[in-house]
Amino acid sequence: MRACPISCTAVKQPFSTCSRKPKDVNQMTRGNPCQLPGMLPNYDPNDNEAGMKILEDLTENVEQIQQRVLEEIITRNARTDYLKGFLDGQFDKQVFKKTVPVVNYEDIKPYIERIANGDSSNIISAEPIIELLTSSGTSGGQPKMMPSTAEDLHRKTFFYNLLVPVMNKYVDGLDEGKAMYLLFVKPETKTPSGLMARPVLTSYYKSNNFQNRPFNRFNVYTSPDETILCSDSKQSMYCQLLCGLVQRQEVLRVGAVFASAFLRAIKFLEDNWKELCSNIRTGHVSDWITDPGCRKVVSLVLNKPKPELADLIEHECSSKSWEGIIKKLWPRTKYIEVIVTGSMAQYVSTLEYYSGGLPLVSTMYASSECYFGINFKPLSKPWDVSYTLIPNMAYFEFLPVKEKNEDGAQYVQCNGVCKENCMGKETEKEDVETVELVDVKLGQYYELVVTTFTGLYRYRVGDILMVTGFHNKAPQFRFVHRRNVVLSVDTDKTSEEDLLKAVTKAKVIVESLGILLIEYTSYADTSSIPGHYVLFWELTSKGNNHLPVLDPKIMEQCCSTVEESLDSVYRRCRRKDNSIGPLEIRVVQHGTFDALMDFCVSQGSSVNQYKTPRCIKSGEAINILDSRVVARFFSQKAPFWEPV
Ligand code: AMP
């Protein structure tokens, strides 16, 4: 561990400014006096030029940096129980690749569970694991848990800091105002051993790195930290919007992490603007805001009665159409910062409606396992977004995959944005041999595999990426989709298998009444906020092949049973976050699934190999089903959920 001899004590004040700029990759990889542990160059985040220089160096020297990252990880961790079993005391990269297996979560789950139950974390990581990050990916219905270390918080800060110069390169004057970012914390629990288990962003916002961040003039938020850290999501949302409205003339960009969260905020504003305006008019925060931290800071932001501002906001919000409302309420806004790639692409058109044509900016690609990549062209259109993997974040490998349609034809890449040709798409692993970051080929699809500084070795993330180009020597990737996910509204990720299990439980209810479920499919209906899952069911009476008479109570019970059977992330979004609406079953008339098959065949599916797609994304296919709906039922109660 080295401390900077100039002003930055690497460990105690990891984000203090350092006047020395790393000059080249040798400084970044070896013996840089301003380098933090874990291959993190230290620099002043207010210095755009230094930030860009670091990005240029990182992307120019990918191969050397990746080698150094792997060496560093192996050297540190070769004596952990996990690696010892494979490496047998050898520190060699070739031995690592030959003997350490490429794994899924199920393979490492026993180690994670041992740590959660009190075993020493050095079974997988020499650096102490200080908390477990609960992912939106699940295993056995519960969130997967990813190890995290103190150093990893610094790695995330380093990564966030690099987003700033990239944005500044494309948008001027971001230091002349504020960002209205709506950020939230989620519930957390403790494992039996006393480790915190919580989502990665909750962990970050609660960390010293976030709360005691040095002032950065390019990154000033309208939301006081107290409102972000408030555990009551309704109070948090209300207070953040109130602060954002009061400071509307200073706001230069708005956003949230994911598109779904930002749209939820717009819906909240639609439901609450009268009360928000009344608070602005009187200068008093509503009584139901009881969180003391929130009350205090919001009162300070409100400051005094502002009747003119309240009139203005009321005028905009009472307009019949909310088209372009973002521009009207926050007139200086230059862009909306939300992730709109992957499953979030379904929200692009709704966002465009509210934004009045503002650019939608997806800045980064990250996960609970590791932060991966940065979008170097932040103003590109959602379907053109690519992320450049940052080579000092982890050691990256890639499993080549073939993308296929359900008829076996090569899948046409669409990034989830186009609504055509996406049914029944599957990923086939071509080969168990991985390729390195510098060896990926343009146009080829890969599944991402990471070896992290936090105790994951050759771990399959489950994301399918396609190489779209290079920035210097660093490949750039388009996020294609997540392996095995068919339905997603917010951060939920439901697989075909999860859906089948849930439907199987629910159909028992109708079967006991002599009704058979003969076919089903699904789609995520995000035409209103929050979005919800829709199941299309074709039912028949046992024996007579007629559409049965349906008891609404029974069908509503089916909806609830499906919801109760889905995984913990779905149930949290539905019950706690209210980011998913009640699940709906649409019963369709006889022959509907034949019509769907005819349509799929007309689109190129082979008749012989046709299987009903369990999730539909094509607008035309949805219309075929919707035009044959005979009855609709909704879940009447939110499913049970409690933290892990
Ligand atoms: P979690 O483990 O809950 O943090 O979720 C991480 C996952 O979210 C990633 O593995 C991706 O599947 C997805 N994700 C994160 N960032 C992006 C992005 N920029 N575009 C598309 N999907 C993303």
Side-chain angles (χ1 to χ4, degrees):
M1 206 176 280
R2 302 176 69 107
C4 174
I6 308 164
S7 64
C8 52
T9 313
V11 180
K12 283 200 185 126
Q13 293 167 286
F15 310 108
S16 57
T17 59
C18 174
S19 57
R20 294 272 292 267
K21 292 173 191 171
K23 289 204 181 76
D24 58 32
V25 68
N26 292 325
Q27 279 204 355
M28 226 177 309
T29 55
R30 284 180 206 276
N32 170 19
C34 290
Q35 188 180 306
L36 299 170
M39 305 201 49
L40 300 174
N42 197 13
Y43 72 103
D44 174 4
N46 274 286
D47 184 343
N48 279 308
E49 208 193 309
M52 283 317 288
K53 168 87 174 80
I54 283 180
L55 279 172
E56 287 304 294
D57 283 345
L58 285 167
T59 51
E60 200 48 74
N61 300 290
V62 177
E63 189 165 7
Q64 299 94 309
I65 294 171
Q66 281 282 279
Q67 297 315 316
R68 274 282 293 139
V69 165
L70 184 58
E71 268 170 45
E72 177 94 17
I73 294 174
I74 302 178
T75 313
R76 283 185 189 187
N77 297 297
R79 290 188 188 83
T80 57
D81 282 9
Y82 186 85
L83 280 188
K84 212 165 42 188
F86 301 114
L87 295 180
D88 197 21
Q90 300 181 73
F91 290 71
D92 184 75
K93 183 186 134 197
Q94 291 315 324
V95 177
F96 176 85
K97 288 193 75 172
K98 225 197 243 151
T99 58
V100 179
V102 173
V103 291
N104 284 305
Y105 186 73
E106 301 313 314
D107 302 303
I108 57 157
K109 193 173 175 180
Y111 289 86
I112 303 280
E113 284 182 344
R114 275 170 62 190
I115 295 167
N117 289 321
D119 227 339
S120 161
S121 60
N122 66 20
I123 59 173
I124 58 167
S125 166
E127 186 85 18
I129 286 165
I130 55 164
E131 60 185 330
L132 294 171
L133 304 177
T134 51
S135 156
S136 56
T138 56
S139 156
Q142 291 299 331
K144 294 174 183 169
M145 293 195 287
M146 301 301 166
S148 182
T149 62
E151 182 192 283
D152 210 45
L153 284 169
H154 303 332
R155 190 164 289 107
K156 287 175 178 128
T157 302
F158 170 79
F159 185 97
Y160 282 123
N161 285 340
L162 287 181
L163 301 176
V164 177
V166 176
M167 218 52 239
N168 284 341
K169 186 173 164 192
Y170 291 92
V171 184
D172 286 335
L174 289 177
D175 55 345
E176 288 158 15
K178 296 188 179 179
M180 187 186 76
Y181 289 150
L182 305 165
L183 307 175
F184 302 93
V185 293
K186 298 240 156 99
E188 54 194 19
T189 51
K190 280 201 170 156
T191 68
S193 66
L195 283 183
M196 209 48 115
R198 52 192 177 186
V200 57
L201 293 173
T202 301
S203 148
Y204 192 74
Y205 301 147
K206 291 200 167 180
S207 73
N208 195 33
N209 291 37
F210 179 76
Q211 291 186 53
N212 291 325
R213 60 196 181 277
F215 177 77
N216 184 329
R217 65 183 198 281
F218 299 102
N219 234 352
V220 183
Y221 299 162
T222 54
S223 296
D225 287 0
E226 289 81 351
T227 61
I228 295 172
L229 295 170
C230 173
S231 58
D232 179 327
S233 54
K234 195 172 169 202
Q235 293 193 46
S236 171
M237 175 76 90
Y238 187 90
C239 293
Q240 292 195 57
L241 282 171
L242 190 50
C243 293
L245 286 168
V246 171
Q247 301 169 78
R248 67 189 281 272
Q249 282 300 347
E250 292 173 73
V251 170
L252 299 182
R253 54 209 158 130
V254 299
V257 178
F258 288 110
S260 53
F262 188 73
L263 285 172
R264 208 156 63 243
I266 295 184
K267 175 76 173 60
F268 188 94
L269 186 60
E270 262 184 292
D271 295 341
N272 293 282
W273 60 266
K274 285 189 182 145
E275 186 178 340
L276 287 159
C277 286
S278 148
N279 287 185
I280 295 170
R281 185 178 304 287
T282 60
H284 288 291
V285 193
S286 295
D287 289 343
W288 65 271
I289 302 297
T290 51
D291 180 279
C294 282
R295 268 205 91 76
K296 193 167 154 213
V297 289
V298 177
S299 301
L300 286 175
V301 174
L302 266 182
N303 189 16
K304 57 175 191 225
K306 297 185 169 70
E308 279 166 21
L309 177 62
D311 284 348
L312 209 145
I313 297 170
E314 236 166 41
H315 172 74
E316 296 301 355
C317 291
S318 53
S319 153
K320 254 202 201 123
S321 160
W322 268 40
E323 189 168 359
I325 190 78
I326 305 291
K327 262 299 227 193
K328 291 178 188 160
L329 290 177
W330 293 280
R332 293 176 67 204
T333 306
K334 296 170 190 248
Y335 62 90
I336 302 186
E337 187 173 323
V338 280
I339 291 175
V340 281
T341 46
S343 64
M344 292 294 147
Q346 62 189 320
Y347 295 110
V348 168
S349 52
T350 316
L351 278 168
E352 280 172 344
Y353 174 83
Y354 288 118
S355 76
L358 289 167
L360 301 174
V361 173
S362 300
T363 55
M364 61 186 264
Y365 164 44
S367 78
S368 312
E369 291 88 333
C370 169
Y371 281 22
F372 304 122
I374 292 178
N375 174 3
F376 281 167
K377 293 200 178 124
L379 297 184
S380 50
K381 293 282 178 206
W383 44 91
D384 289 330
V385 169
S386 290
Y387 301 100
T388 304
L389 297 198
I390 304 301
N392 63 343
M393 289 290 114
Y395 175 67
F396 299 112
E397 293 175 81
F398 299 85
L399 283 168
V401 290
K402 257 191 202 144
E403 292 287 295
K404 289 191 158 190
N405 276 334
E406 85 279 4
D407 61 354
Q410 189 85 16
Y411 167 59
V412 183
Q413 205 314 106
C414 73
N415 200 21
V417 175
C418 81
K419 301 243 173 7
E420 312 306 325
N421 217 0
C422 298
M423 292 176 295
K425 102 179 125 58
E426 283 178 6
T427 307
E428 265 198 5
K429 192 144 69 71
E430 248 183 1
D431 201 330
V432 282
E433 285 288 303
T434 60
V435 297
E436 300 207 340
L437 185 56
V438 282
D439 293 328
V440 296
K441 300 270 176 302
L442 193 67
Q444 169 76 50
Y445 293 84
Y446 297 95
E447 182 182 339
L448 180 61
V449 173
V450 288
T451 295
T452 66
F453 285 90
T454 55
L456 299 176
Y457 306 99
R458 310 196 81 200
Y459 177 82
R460 289 175 69 176
V461 173
D463 290 342
I464 309 299
L465 311 176
M466 191 193 83
V467 184
T468 54
F470 293 84
H471 180 92
N472 295 328
K473 303 212 172 74
Q476 300 183 297
F477 296 88
R478 181 168 296 167
F479 182 92
V480 181
H481 67 96
R482 193 167 168 100
R483 188 162 45 106
N484 298 336
V485 170
V486 289
L487 284 172
S488 176
V489 164
D490 187 25
T491 51
D492 52 306
K493 296 174 171 63
T494 298
S495 69
E496 196 167 317
E497 197 187 341
D498 299 335
L499 189 64
L500 173 65
K501 270 194 208 147
V503 168
T504 305
K505 283 207 180 139
K507 78 174 182 178
V508 171
I509 301 171
V510 283
E511 276 173 358
S512 66
L513 301 171
I515 299 169
L516 289 179
L517 173 64
I518 51 175
E519 266 300 3
Y520 74 92
T521 190
S522 65
Y523 91 106
D525 182 348
T526 51
S527 58
S528 56
I529 305 295
H532 69 288
Y533 286 14
V534 174
L535 301 183
F536 291 97
W537 277 18
E538 191 169 321
L539 297 168
T540 185
S541 296
K542 254 184 211 162
N544 67 13
N545 215 15
H546 288 149
L547 183 70
V549 178
L550 300 171
D551 177 347
K553 287 269 163 297
I554 297 287
M555 292 306 295
E556 284 162 10
Q557 203 185 326
C558 290
C559 297
S560 299
T561 304
V562 173
E563 293 201 297
E564 293 291 355
S565 314
L566 291 172
D567 72 26
S568 141
V569 176
Y570 175 90
R571 287 181 282 112
R572 189 198 66 215
C573 289
R574 169 83 171 93
R575 185 176 187 102
K576 174 89 182 109
D577 304 345
N578 292 319
S579 57
I580 301 182
L583 181 136
E584 179 184 2
I585 292 179
R586 294 184 192 164
V587 178
V588 291
Q589 68 196 39
H590 274 278
T592 299
F593 279 81
D594 294 337
L596 179 66
M597 181 174 85
D598 292 345
F599 170 74
C600 291
V601 170
S602 77
Q603 299 297 299
S605 292
S606 111
V607 186
N608 293 333
Q609 287 168 266
Y610 177 78
K611 290 185 250 45
T612 304
R614 293 304 172 206
C615 175
I616 303 286
K617 292 204 169 79
S618 144
E620 263 181 276
I622 292 167
N623 286 342
I624 289 168
L625 297 168
D626 260 344
S627 62
R628 291 164 171 83
V629 169
V630 291
R632 299 169 61 169
F633 305 95
F634 288 89
S635 171
Q636 297 299 313
K637 60 179 183 11
F640 172 78
W641 175 81
E642 65 179 3
V644 190

